[in-house]
Amino acid sequence: MLLKGVEKTYPGLIITTGNVSDATIDGRILNSQKPAQDAQASVIELSSENYRREVVDSELPVIVEVYVQGCGWCRELDKEIGKIAPNYAKKVKFTRIDHEADNAELTVDKYTPAGINLYPTMLFVRDGNVIDFEIGYRKAEQLEDIIEETFDVR
Protein backbone atom coordinates (compact mmCIF):
# COMPACT_ATOMS: atom_id res chain seq x y z
CA MET A 1 0.00 0.00 0.00
CA LEU A 2 1.26 3.46 -0.81
CA LEU A 3 1.53 6.01 1.97
CA LYS A 4 -0.57 9.17 1.91
CA GLY A 5 0.90 11.74 -0.44
CA VAL A 6 3.45 9.34 -1.91
CA GLU A 7 3.82 9.40 -5.66
CA LYS A 8 5.20 6.53 -7.72
CA THR A 9 6.03 6.88 -11.38
CA TYR A 10 6.16 4.06 -13.90
CA PRO A 11 6.74 4.53 -17.63
CA GLY A 12 3.64 6.42 -18.83
CA LEU A 13 1.86 6.11 -15.47
CA ILE A 14 1.79 8.23 -12.32
CA ILE A 15 0.19 6.81 -9.17
CA THR A 16 -0.50 9.24 -6.33
CA THR A 17 -2.26 8.45 -3.08
CA GLY A 18 -4.56 10.77 -1.18
CA ASN A 19 -6.29 9.57 1.95
CA VAL A 20 -6.79 5.87 2.64
CA SER A 21 -9.92 5.67 0.47
CA ASP A 22 -8.60 7.65 -2.53
CA ALA A 23 -5.83 6.90 -4.99
CA THR A 24 -5.24 8.31 -8.43
CA ILE A 25 -3.68 7.06 -11.62
CA ASP A 26 -2.72 9.86 -13.98
CA GLY A 27 -4.92 12.21 -11.97
CA ARG A 28 -8.07 10.02 -12.04
CA ILE A 29 -9.50 9.09 -8.63
CA LEU A 30 -9.84 5.30 -8.44
CA ASN A 31 -10.91 4.49 -4.90
CA SER A 32 -13.79 6.85 -4.24
CA GLN A 33 -16.52 5.43 -2.03
CA LYS A 34 -19.31 7.16 -4.00
CA PRO A 35 -20.96 5.13 -6.78
CA ALA A 36 -20.69 6.49 -10.31
CA GLN A 37 -23.58 8.84 -11.07
CA ASP A 38 -24.08 7.50 -14.61
CA ALA A 39 -24.36 3.95 -13.40
CA GLN A 40 -26.84 4.79 -10.65
CA ALA A 41 -29.70 5.65 -13.04
CA SER A 42 -29.63 2.31 -14.89
CA VAL A 43 -28.14 -0.11 -12.37
CA ILE A 44 -30.02 -1.75 -9.48
CA GLU A 45 -28.16 -1.98 -6.17
CA LEU A 46 -28.63 -5.48 -4.77
CA SER A 47 -28.89 -6.70 -1.21
CA SER A 48 -29.72 -9.98 0.47
CA GLU A 49 -33.37 -8.84 0.50
CA ASN A 50 -33.79 -8.22 -3.24
CA TYR A 51 -31.19 -10.53 -4.83
CA ARG A 52 -33.61 -13.38 -5.49
CA ARG A 53 -36.30 -11.10 -6.93
CA GLU A 54 -33.99 -8.99 -9.10
CA VAL A 55 -31.60 -11.73 -10.28
CA VAL A 56 -32.81 -15.29 -9.80
CA ASP A 57 -36.47 -14.64 -10.66
CA SER A 58 -35.83 -12.01 -13.36
CA GLU A 59 -37.52 -12.43 -16.73
CA LEU A 60 -34.65 -10.51 -18.36
CA PRO A 61 -31.06 -11.69 -18.56
CA VAL A 62 -29.07 -10.10 -15.70
CA ILE A 63 -25.55 -8.84 -15.25
CA VAL A 64 -24.43 -8.82 -11.63
CA GLU A 65 -21.35 -6.72 -10.95
CA VAL A 66 -19.77 -7.98 -7.74
CA TYR A 67 -17.54 -5.31 -6.21
CA VAL A 68 -15.98 -4.25 -2.93
CA GLN A 69 -15.62 -0.74 -1.49
CA GLY A 70 -12.27 0.84 -2.23
CA CYS A 71 -11.70 -1.15 -5.44
CA GLY A 72 -10.44 1.25 -8.07
CA TRP A 73 -11.11 -1.08 -10.99
CA CYS A 74 -14.66 -1.60 -9.72
CA ARG A 75 -15.21 2.18 -9.85
CA GLU A 76 -13.85 2.32 -13.37
CA LEU A 77 -16.10 -0.56 -14.44
CA ASP A 78 -19.09 1.29 -12.95
CA LYS A 79 -18.39 4.19 -15.30
CA GLU A 80 -18.20 1.90 -18.33
CA ILE A 81 -21.43 0.12 -17.36
CA GLY A 82 -23.10 3.50 -16.91
CA LYS A 83 -22.21 4.35 -20.51
CA ILE A 84 -23.87 1.28 -22.01
CA ALA A 85 -26.69 0.29 -19.63
CA PRO A 86 -29.27 2.68 -21.16
CA ASN A 87 -28.68 1.06 -24.59
CA TYR A 88 -29.93 -2.28 -23.26
CA ALA A 89 -33.05 -1.08 -21.43
CA LYS A 90 -35.77 -3.76 -21.55
CA LYS A 91 -33.22 -6.27 -22.92
CA VAL A 92 -30.76 -6.78 -20.05
CA LYS A 93 -30.96 -5.87 -16.36
CA PHE A 94 -27.82 -4.37 -14.83
CA THR A 95 -27.24 -4.91 -11.11
CA ARG A 96 -24.41 -4.57 -8.63
CA ILE A 97 -23.71 -5.89 -5.16
CA ASP A 98 -21.07 -5.02 -2.59
CA HIS A 99 -19.62 -8.44 -1.76
CA GLU A 100 -18.58 -7.34 1.73
CA ALA A 101 -21.88 -5.76 2.81
CA ASP A 102 -25.20 -7.08 4.05
CA ASN A 103 -24.26 -10.78 3.96
CA ALA A 104 -23.84 -10.38 0.21
CA GLU A 105 -21.11 -13.01 0.09
CA LEU A 106 -23.65 -15.55 1.32
CA THR A 107 -26.23 -14.38 -1.22
CA VAL A 108 -23.95 -14.35 -4.27
CA ASP A 109 -21.95 -17.42 -3.32
CA LYS A 110 -25.16 -19.39 -2.84
CA TYR A 111 -25.75 -19.07 -6.59
CA THR A 112 -22.09 -19.35 -7.64
CA PRO A 113 -20.69 -22.57 -6.18
CA ALA A 114 -17.08 -21.66 -6.94
CA GLY A 115 -17.41 -18.46 -4.92
CA ILE A 116 -15.97 -15.06 -5.77
CA ASN A 117 -12.64 -13.74 -4.59
CA LEU A 118 -11.50 -11.38 -7.37
CA TYR A 119 -13.00 -7.96 -8.07
CA PRO A 120 -14.70 -6.76 -10.06
CA THR A 121 -16.47 -9.92 -11.18
CA MET A 122 -19.45 -9.83 -13.54
CA LEU A 123 -21.91 -12.70 -13.47
CA PHE A 124 -24.12 -13.25 -16.50
CA VAL A 125 -27.39 -14.79 -15.37
CA ARG A 126 -30.25 -16.18 -17.46
CA ASP A 127 -33.28 -17.97 -16.02
CA GLY A 128 -31.71 -17.86 -12.56
CA ASN A 129 -28.51 -19.62 -13.66
CA VAL A 130 -25.03 -18.17 -14.02
CA ILE A 131 -24.18 -18.93 -17.65
CA ASP A 132 -20.89 -17.05 -17.83
CA PHE A 133 -18.66 -14.67 -15.88
CA GLU A 134 -15.92 -12.13 -16.47
CA ILE A 135 -13.27 -11.05 -14.00
CA GLY A 136 -11.69 -7.61 -14.14
CA TYR A 137 -12.18 -4.27 -15.81
CA ARG A 138 -13.56 -3.99 -19.35
CA LYS A 139 -14.11 -0.93 -21.55
CA ALA A 140 -17.65 -0.12 -22.73
CA GLU A 141 -17.02 -1.49 -26.23
CA GLN A 142 -15.71 -4.77 -24.82
CA LEU A 143 -18.72 -5.02 -22.51
CA GLU A 144 -21.09 -4.54 -25.43
CA ASP A 145 -19.41 -7.36 -27.36
CA ILE A 146 -19.55 -9.67 -24.33
CA ILE A 147 -23.21 -8.85 -23.62
CA GLU A 148 -24.29 -9.30 -27.22
CA GLU A 149 -22.45 -12.61 -27.53
CA THR A 150 -23.50 -13.98 -24.13
CA PHE A 151 -27.16 -12.96 -24.23
CA ASP A 152 -27.63 -12.75 -28.02
CA VAL A 153 -29.05 -9.21 -27.83
CA ARG A 154 -28.29 -6.23 -30.05
Side-chain angles (χ1 to χ4, degrees), residues 4 12 16 30 37-38 48 55 57 63 66 94 104 106 108 120 143 148:
K4 183 176 181 177
T16 305
L30 292 181
Q37 291 296 340
D38 292 344
S48 57
V55 178
D57 297 335
I63 296 174
V66 183
F94 289 83
L106 302 175
V108 174
L143 289 172
E148 291 171 7

Side-chain angles (χ1 to χ4, degrees), residues 1-153:
M1 173 190 272
L2 299 173
L3 300 174
K4 183 176 181 177
V6 172
E7 185 174 288
K8 283 192 167 189
T9 305
Y10 299 93
L13 185 67
I14 298 172
I15 301 175
T16 305
T17 62
N19 60 41
V20 174
S21 65
D22 291 325
T24 63
I25 293 182
D26 292 337
R28 293 180 302 145
I29 293 177
L30 292 181
N31 290 342
S32 174
Q33 299 298 317
K34 292 169 42 179
Q37 291 296 340
D38 292 344
Q40 284 305 97
S42 303
V43 179
I44 298 167
E45 190 72 34
L46 297 172
S47 67
S48 57
E49 286 86 33
N50 69 355
Y51 189 91
R52 181 168 193 73
R53 180 182 67 245
E54 296 293 349
V55 178
V56 178
D57 297 335
S58 177
E59 293 182 12
L60 292 175
V62 182
I63 296 174
V64 179
E65 176 201 353
V66 183
Y67 71 98
V68 292
Q69 292 292 323
C71 167
W73 292 116
C74 299
R75 290 276 306 133
E76 294 298 308
L77 182 62
D78 281 349
K79 293 175 189 175
E80 299 301 311
I81 288 173
K83 292 176 187 176
I84 65 166
N87 301 338
Y88 293 96
K90 300 184 182 178
K91 296 178 187 176
V92 175
K93 185 186 291 188
F94 289 83
T95 66
R96 64 194 301 263
I97 190 166
D98 181 345
H99 201 226
E100 295 177 329
D102 189 34
N103 295 320
E105 71 281 356
L106 302 175
T107 302
V108 174
D109 293 348
K110 177 179 178 179
Y111 298 100
T112 54
I116 295 173
N117 56 14
L118 298 171
Y119 307 99
T121 294
M122 290 176 288
L123 305 175
F124 297 85
V125 181
R126 176 180 273 142
D127 300 323
N129 298 306
V130 176
I131 60 171
D132 202 359
F133 67 93
E134 290 283 328
I135 297 171
Y137 170 79
R138 302 289 186 276
K139 291 199 167 283
E141 299 78 23
Q142 294 170 309
L143 289 172
E144 288 177 322
D145 290 343
I146 293 166
I147 291 166
E148 291 171 7
E149 182 178 319
T150 303
F151 292 136
D152 194 29
V153 296

